[in-house]
Amino acid sequence: MRLILKANRLIDGTGAVPIENAAIVVEDGRISEVTQQDKLDTGDRDDSDVIDVSGGTLMPGFIEVHTHIHCSAQADAYRHITTESDEVFLMRGVQAVRAVLSSGVTTMRDLGSRNQVIFPLKQAVEDGIVPGPRMLVAGTPITTTGGHCNMFGTEADTSDEMVTAVRGQFKSGADWIKVMSTGGGFTPGTNVRAPQYPVETLRAAVQDAERLNLRVAAHCHASAGVRNCVDAGVHNLIHCSWLDEDPNGMFDYDEDYADRLAEAGTWVDPTLALGRLNQIRGRVRTTGGPMRDPVRRFEILRDMWDRGVKFVTGMDAGMTNANFDDFAYIPQVMVEDMRISPMEAIVCATQTSADCLGVLDETGTLEAGKAADILIIDGNPAEDIATLHTVNTIVKQGTVVKREGELLI
Ligand SMILES: [Zn+2]
């Protein structure tokens, strides 16, 4: 049966001017037509299922590039990840991917979960056993011995060990390689202000990943770690916090390296909504993270944006206070704090993130021939970005998973 979606306007994800009184025709899970309602040929469409949302906006499904599906997102997420069993992790994961999809995310990338949890879960979603978005997964992150996220990572110290770890993840079925290039706040005692790997070890990971047609995403807080990642040719930087090596300093922003990120076309996921959610949910941080000076942090991100750096939308969902249905906070914070336009933030959350993940041929924009990953938002997000919190209807690969406010999964 054909599915016809109608709404007051359509945002296609490319940044183009919205189409008024829009309609999309879906056949066999794919978009067959993007048009205006008065141009729809309804003559032979008596059997069509029609969803018509007055006041609504059609747009591509959200693309979330950074989750950890077996982390609990609660205040004691660290205790959970260090004490629970793989069976409990799997149940957390089932709940997480359902929550991700229910928020309007139709494609997600998991950037670090145990292999024995994430690979079966991805398979279960593809087989229709549990509901979830299209998934790309890194499996276990690669880190140093005792390094950031070692409790669910593969430990590798030398360049040879790094290559072995990359090949091990490839063999397990990873779609991406995740490397922890500096310490992280989630893992006590690791140093957020210092690199975990020298350039040559990161370069070994990039070269072997590229040989296997994979891309590398690297966690990096310290400026020295950002520079190492840029020098090594890492494809996607996570956090990119530019933290000063000196604990008495805050940031050590390097404009020349920001220009190099832009020139290389490196995608940056600044996980910028995480601080806001900690604020909203009342987390008191005892150690200094990048949000200790949020005003300067957003000035730096805005400067990177002005230099042409490509931003993608990752939450780090599963980390403390970052729930799996929080996606809409990311574009909201981009608009409110980075001061980019709602349409620019929407393009980051759809087309740019799909391009980063290597799935732009399949999804990320509303065009004939692509998979029918479509949302209807109540309201107009091009005018008020906060309306992205009110997802009326969700279609994933042609299947209606939320219909006019009612969740069907
Ligand atoms: Zn993460």
Side-chain angles (χ1 to χ4, degrees), residues 66-68 111-112 148-149 178 180 219 238-239 271 316-317 319:
H66 188 169
T67 67
H68 300 277
L111 270 189
H148 180 44
C149 290
K178 173 74 181 292
M180 300 304 192
H219 159 107
I238 310 298
H239 308 302
T271 60
D316 217 351
M319 293 293 118

Short mmCIF file of all heavy atoms in Angstrom, two decimals, residues 66-68 111-112 148-149 178 180 219 238-239 271 316-317 319, ligand 1:
data_model
loop_
_atom_site.label_atom_id
_atom_site.label_comp_id
_atom_site.label_asym_id
_atom_site.label_seq_id
_atom_site.Cartn_x
_atom_site.Cartn_y
_atom_site.Cartn_z
N HIS A 66 26.17 9.42 18.11
CA HIS A 66 27.00 9.09 19.28
C HIS A 66 26.17 8.58 20.45
O HIS A 66 25.65 9.36 21.25
CB HIS A 66 27.76 10.36 19.68
CG HIS A 66 28.80 10.14 20.74
ND1 HIS A 66 29.72 11.10 21.07
CD2 HIS A 66 29.06 9.09 21.55
CE1 HIS A 66 30.50 10.66 22.03
NE2 HIS A 66 30.12 9.44 22.34
N THR A 67 26.06 7.26 20.56
CA THR A 67 25.41 6.66 21.73
C THR A 67 26.32 5.59 22.33
O THR A 67 27.28 5.14 21.70
CB THR A 67 24.08 5.96 21.35
OG1 THR A 67 24.37 4.82 20.54
CG2 THR A 67 23.13 6.89 20.61
N HIS A 68 25.98 5.22 23.56
CA HIS A 68 26.57 4.04 24.22
C HIS A 68 25.39 3.28 24.80
O HIS A 68 24.96 3.56 25.92
CB HIS A 68 27.53 4.45 25.34
CG HIS A 68 28.67 5.30 24.87
ND1 HIS A 68 29.81 4.77 24.32
CD2 HIS A 68 28.84 6.64 24.84
CE1 HIS A 68 30.64 5.74 23.98
NE2 HIS A 68 30.08 6.90 24.28
N LEU A 111 28.91 4.48 19.47
CA LEU A 111 30.35 4.73 19.45
C LEU A 111 31.08 4.09 20.62
O LEU A 111 32.02 4.66 21.16
CB LEU A 111 30.63 6.24 19.43
CG LEU A 111 30.73 6.87 18.04
CD1 LEU A 111 31.23 8.31 18.16
CD2 LEU A 111 31.65 6.09 17.11
N GLY A 112 30.62 2.93 21.02
CA GLY A 112 31.36 2.24 22.06
C GLY A 112 30.44 1.49 22.98
O GLY A 112 29.82 2.06 23.89
N HIS A 148 40.74 5.45 29.01
CA HIS A 148 39.34 5.87 29.03
C HIS A 148 38.43 4.77 28.46
O HIS A 148 38.65 4.28 27.36
CB HIS A 148 39.20 7.16 28.21
CG HIS A 148 37.80 7.69 28.17
ND1 HIS A 148 37.00 7.75 29.28
CD2 HIS A 148 37.06 8.19 27.15
CE1 HIS A 148 35.82 8.26 28.94
NE2 HIS A 148 35.83 8.53 27.66
N CYS A 149 37.44 4.38 29.26
CA CYS A 149 36.45 3.36 28.89
C CYS A 149 37.06 1.96 28.71
O CYS A 149 36.53 1.14 27.96
CB CYS A 149 35.64 3.76 27.66
SG CYS A 149 34.51 5.12 27.99
N LYS A 178 36.31 3.22 16.76
CA LYS A 178 36.34 4.28 17.78
C LYS A 178 37.62 4.16 18.58
O LYS A 178 37.92 3.09 19.12
CB LYS A 178 35.12 4.14 18.70
CG LYS A 178 35.11 5.08 19.90
CD LYS A 178 34.79 6.51 19.53
CE LYS A 178 34.80 7.47 20.73
NZ LYS A 178 33.73 7.25 21.68
N MET A 180 40.00 6.10 21.65
CA MET A 180 40.04 7.09 22.74
C MET A 180 41.40 7.78 22.70
O MET A 180 42.40 7.23 23.18
CB MET A 180 39.83 6.39 24.09
CG MET A 180 38.49 5.67 24.20
SD MET A 180 37.09 6.78 23.89
CE MET A 180 35.74 5.74 24.47
N HIS A 219 37.63 10.09 20.27
CA HIS A 219 37.33 10.91 21.46
C HIS A 219 38.54 11.78 21.75
O HIS A 219 39.65 11.26 21.84
CB HIS A 219 37.01 9.92 22.61
CG HIS A 219 37.15 10.48 23.98
ND1 HIS A 219 36.06 10.77 24.77
CD2 HIS A 219 38.25 10.76 24.73
CE1 HIS A 219 36.48 11.22 25.94
NE2 HIS A 219 37.81 11.22 25.94
N ILE A 238 35.45 13.66 18.20
CA ILE A 238 34.38 13.68 19.19
C ILE A 238 34.80 14.57 20.37
O ILE A 238 35.94 14.47 20.83
CB ILE A 238 34.11 12.25 19.71
CG1 ILE A 238 33.94 11.26 18.54
CG2 ILE A 238 32.91 12.24 20.64
CD1 ILE A 238 32.80 11.53 17.62
N HIS A 239 33.90 15.40 20.81
CA HIS A 239 34.08 16.40 21.88
C HIS A 239 34.90 17.59 21.36
O HIS A 239 34.41 18.69 21.33
CB HIS A 239 34.74 15.82 23.15
CG HIS A 239 34.07 14.61 23.69
ND1 HIS A 239 32.74 14.61 24.06
CD2 HIS A 239 34.51 13.34 23.89
CE1 HIS A 239 32.41 13.39 24.48
NE2 HIS A 239 33.47 12.60 24.38
N THR A 271 29.38 17.16 21.04
CA THR A 271 28.54 16.67 22.17
C THR A 271 28.08 17.84 23.04
O THR A 271 28.13 17.78 24.27
CB THR A 271 29.28 15.61 23.03
OG1 THR A 271 30.47 16.18 23.59
CG2 THR A 271 29.65 14.39 22.22
N ASP A 316 26.23 11.60 22.98
CA ASP A 316 26.93 10.79 23.99
C ASP A 316 25.89 10.16 24.92
O ASP A 316 26.10 10.03 26.13
CB ASP A 316 27.94 11.62 24.79
CG ASP A 316 29.20 10.84 25.13
OD1 ASP A 316 29.21 9.61 24.89
OD2 ASP A 316 30.16 11.43 25.64
N ALA A 317 24.76 9.77 24.34
CA ALA A 317 23.65 9.22 25.13
C ALA A 317 24.09 7.96 25.85
O ALA A 317 24.77 7.11 25.28
CB ALA A 317 22.46 8.93 24.23
N MET A 319 25.79 8.38 28.73
CA MET A 319 26.60 9.03 29.75
C MET A 319 25.67 9.74 30.74
O MET A 319 24.49 9.98 30.43
CB MET A 319 27.55 10.06 29.10
CG MET A 319 28.61 9.43 28.21
SD MET A 319 29.81 8.44 29.13
CE MET A 319 29.54 6.82 28.42
ZN ZN B 1 31.07 8.73 24.08
#
